[in-house]
Amino acid sequence: MAEKGNANNKKKNAKKPAAKKPAAKNSTAKKKSSEKKSTAAKSTAVKKEQKPTAAPKTKNQSKNKKDNGFVARLGKWAMSKNMSVRIVMIVILTALLCYGVYQIVKCDSGKIQTETAQSMTLSDTISTEGYTVRDEIVIMSDKSGVMVPAVENGGKVSKDASISNVFSSQEAAAAYERIKEIDVMINEFESMVTASEDSSLENSLETQINSRLIDLAKATRDGELDRAAQLRSELVYLLNKKQIATKEVDGFPQRIAELKAERDELTARFPSAPAHVTSPLSGYYFDKVDGFESLLNTSMLETMTPETFDSVKVQQQSITVGSNVVGKIAEDYRWHIVCEVSAKEAEKLSQSSWYTLQLPYAESGKVQAKLMYMNPSTDQTRVLLVFRCITTLADLSSVRTQPIKIQVKSSTGLGIRTDAIVSMTDVRTVSGTDGTDVQEEYVVEGVYVMWGNEVKFRRIEVVYTVGELAVCREKSESGWLKRYDEVILNTEGMYDGKIVRGY
């Protein structure tokens, strides 16, 4: 049994070497596989060597990739949040966009705005309505007919002098006026006869004609029709006289004969002389009557209040001027203007001071007047001003009321805008209490001006301000504002010495 068992073991042991053959095959396969892999690796390496090298990424490409990644991540994050977060983000982005647009507009509108400093007269005025007051006596007549004034408005007349002519009809009045015109024209033509005897008269006439042409153009432009008509007559006379002086014509005998024939014909048709209305006293004649003559006089002006004047204006509306009224006589050459202003406006004025009154209906445009009285109302909110004038204006003789401007103050200097004025701190040396010199800071006013492409600070001394305008004193010292300097209006961001490119 033992032998048999050993025999079996021997058989088993004898079979073991046979089992090793497959292992050898596997080793050979592994070797071949390794060789294939090595060949493939070499082939891959060759291919890699043959593949072109990619260009290196630039910084901008890398940055754009990062930015795009951030934006994408921000978008994904926003989409992942609720609606309230989205709204907040939209508001923030909108605000950033608006701020960017604002900065762009601000930069675009940053052009420097300047204004040339020039001489200017600045006046502070008070606008109101003025009423003319005189001591006036109304002249009436019992004569019937057409009344034609025989004296110019504002003209001085003596006692018993004729102030008006009375005609039987309008035709008779027109004929009388035409006869007076013809007499003036005949005298002018006859006076031209000697013009040819003066050789130096031609240059003088040329100067006078040019002057009349300029005055006529101004009067026409300003709407002064009466003055324009007068200048036209004077111009025609000078032109006719020049023709004789230059010997273009020997005279105007034919025209003189025609005028005399017309005068004789009118005299034959209307032979009756006009009746006359005379003045009961000497003074200044005015042909317009409006009802204030019996309600206003100079003696009541000292105590007249705004309430009293209101009552006078109401009474005047109920007065009717009769048809037999010829005109009125003012005994004194002095006249007054009464007007009302607010209590605040009255604070700018001083009683007994002289002021310039701007009168739109006067040919001169203004008159000097003294402020006589300043009478307040009961509630102290209004003040009645009484001015006295000593210059008689014929063109205002028929005007009772008109808008006026009281010139409170007037100054002349370099005119600038108040928003261009800036303040700077400077240092000066002063004497201390112990006698030693001390450095002291003080504030100076000035403006920025353009000096080439450089901003310069120029000192100013403001003497008068009205609204948005100021007048500065002209000084010759260095560092002060001068005439024709270009003053900078938009002062934000400006400083002395700043260089401005592209100005």
Side-chain angles (χ1 to χ4, degrees):
M1 293 295 291
E3 291 178 359
K4 189 176 182 177
N6 292 331
N8 292 333
N9 290 333
K10 288 179 179 179
K11 289 180 180 179
K12 292 179 181 179
N13 292 334
K15 294 179 180 178
K16 287 181 180 178
K20 290 180 180 178
K21 291 180 179 180
K25 292 180 180 180
N26 291 337
S27 176
T28 304
K30 288 180 179 180
K31 186 176 181 181
K32 290 180 179 180
S33 175
S34 177
E35 290 176 356
K36 290 180 179 180
K37 289 181 178 180
S38 177
T39 304
K42 289 180 180 179
S43 177
T44 304
V46 171
K47 290 181 179 180
K48 287 182 178 180
E49 289 177 359
Q50 294 175 352
K51 186 177 181 181
T53 304
K57 296 180 179 180
T58 62
K59 292 182 179 181
N60 291 336
Q61 290 174 338
S62 176
K63 185 178 179 181
N64 290 338
K65 185 176 181 181
K66 289 181 180 180
D67 290 344
N68 293 335
F70 171 75
V71 174
R73 289 196 299 273
L74 182 63
K76 291 180 180 179
W77 179 81
M79 295 300 294
S80 65
K81 299 299 178 181
N82 56 22
M83 183 60 69
S84 60
V85 174
R86 295 181 189 177
I87 294 175
V88 171
M89 289 192 64
I90 291 173
V91 171
I92 294 174
L93 292 174
T94 304
L96 291 173
L97 179 62
C98 293
Y99 180 75
V101 172
Y102 167 76
Q103 291 296 331
I104 293 173
V105 172
K106 184 178 179 181
C107 293
D108 185 61
S109 61
K111 181 175 175 60
I112 296 179
Q113 300 176 0
T114 62
E115 191 171 79
T116 305
Q118 294 183 345
S119 180
M120 174 190 296
T121 299
L122 195 60
S123 300
D124 185 12
T125 60
I126 300 174
S127 298
T128 182
E129 186 176 32
Y131 288 75
T132 303
V133 179
R134 304 181 184 89
D135 289 325
E136 300 165 331
I137 297 176
V138 177
I139 307 299
M140 294 180 290
S141 173
D142 56 358
K143 296 182 174 64
S144 61
V146 178
M147 300 283 183
V148 177
V151 184
E152 292 184 354
N153 267 319
K156 186 172 178 58
V157 296
S158 58
K159 184 179 179 181
D160 297 328
S162 175
I163 60 175
S164 183
N165 298 318
V166 184
F167 297 91
S168 58
S169 65
Q170 288 286 357
E171 290 78 7
Y176 181 81
E177 293 298 317
R178 177 57 181 168
I179 290 173
K180 289 200 303 183
E181 292 177 3
I182 290 174
D183 289 338
V184 172
M185 294 172 67
I186 291 175
N187 291 332
E188 289 179 352
F189 282 124
E190 290 178 345
S191 66
M192 296 177 191
V193 176
T194 58
S196 59
E197 300 174 3
D198 189 353
S199 59
S200 64
L201 186 60
E202 182 178 352
N203 292 333
S204 174
L205 288 172
E206 190 69 31
T207 302
Q208 295 181 60
I209 289 171
N210 291 335
S211 176
R212 296 299 189 281
L213 284 171
I214 294 173
D215 293 341
L216 179 59
K218 290 180 179 179
T220 304
R221 180 197 62 191
D222 298 337
E224 301 173 359
L225 301 182
D226 292 340
R227 176 166 171 74
Q230 179 185 353
L231 290 169
R232 177 185 175 278
S233 299
E234 294 176 4
L235 185 60
V236 171
Y237 171 78
L238 292 172
L239 289 171
N240 289 333
K241 192 171 183 178
K242 183 183 177 182
Q243 291 185 72
I244 297 177
T246 56
K247 297 181 174 56
E248 293 183 18
V249 296
D250 294 332
F252 300 94
Q254 183 178 356
R255 181 57 179 157
I256 294 174
E258 292 175 353
L259 291 173
K260 288 182 176 180
E262 183 181 358
R263 182 185 60 183
D264 294 340
E265 191 270 335
L266 291 173
T267 304
R269 288 178 57 192
F270 304 97
S272 300
H276 302 284
V277 177
T278 58
S279 175
L281 69 165
S282 62
Y284 297 87
Y285 173 76
F286 303 99
D287 63 348
K288 301 295 182 183
V289 176
D290 55 13
F292 277 109
E293 294 79 12
S294 60
L295 299 174
L296 290 175
N297 59 72
T298 58
S299 63
M300 61 191 299
L301 296 180
E302 185 175 359
T303 58
M304 179 180 287
T305 64
E307 291 87 352
T308 306
F309 193 50
D310 291 340
S311 176
V312 169
K313 289 187 287 187
V314 172
Q315 295 178 55
Q316 185 269 340
Q317 295 177 2
S318 61
I319 295 178
T320 302
V321 178
S323 59
N324 60 338
V325 173
V326 178
K328 59 190 177 186
I329 297 291
E331 296 183 78
D332 198 345
Y333 66 92
R334 293 174 297 184
W335 53 289
H336 297 76
I337 289 183
V338 177
C339 60
E340 182 185 306
V341 297
S342 66
K344 186 176 181 180
E345 291 174 326
E347 293 176 356
K348 301 179 182 180
L349 305 172
S350 177
Q351 189 168 325
S352 300
S353 297
W354 286 83
Y355 295 94
T356 299
L357 304 183
Q358 298 179 13
L359 309 175
Y361 298 159
E363 182 179 336
S364 60
K366 57 185 178 180
V367 65
Q368 296 297 315
K370 183 178 181 180
L371 180 55
M372 301 298 297
Y373 310 113
M374 301 176 66
N375 303 330
S377 61
T378 305
D379 58 5
Q380 303 294 318
T381 60
R382 300 182 295 163
V383 176
L384 191 71
L385 306 178
V386 179
F387 291 93
R388 186 175 69 186
C389 310
I390 60 175
T391 304
T392 301
L393 301 177
D395 50 353
L396 291 180
S397 58
S398 59
V399 177
R400 175 70 69 176
T401 65
Q402 64 177 311
I404 68 171
K405 288 184 178 181
I406 307 169
Q407 189 171 297
V408 179
K409 185 178 179 181
S410 178
S411 296
T412 301
L414 295 178
I416 61 173
R417 295 187 178 273
T418 54
D419 54 5
I421 300 175
V422 296
S423 298
M424 290 187 66
T425 303
D426 201 354
V427 179
R428 61 187 173 188
T429 302
V430 297
S431 298
T433 54
D434 56 355
T436 60
D437 292 340
V438 180
Q439 297 293 318
E440 178 186 67
E441 289 188 350
Y442 69 104
V443 177
V444 294
E445 284 189 325
V447 294
Y448 291 118
V449 302
M450 287 304 305
W451 189 261
N453 65 338
E454 187 177 0
V455 176
K456 292 288 188 180
F457 178 79
R458 294 288 183 260
R459 294 184 61 180
I460 59 172
E461 181 184 349
V462 177
V463 294
Y464 197 52
T465 302
V466 176
E468 298 179 352
L469 296 176
V471 169
C472 307
R473 197 183 309 279
E474 289 193 66
K475 294 194 175 185
S476 58
E477 292 91 336
S478 176
W480 289 79
L481 181 66
K482 301 293 190 298
R483 190 178 300 190
Y484 306 124
D485 280 347
E486 292 296 325
V487 180
I488 297 175
L489 301 181
N490 49 337
T491 59
E492 184 179 356
M494 297 297 164
Y495 56 88
D496 188 33
K498 179 178 181 179
I499 302 299
V500 180
R501 303 188 183 278
Y503 170 70

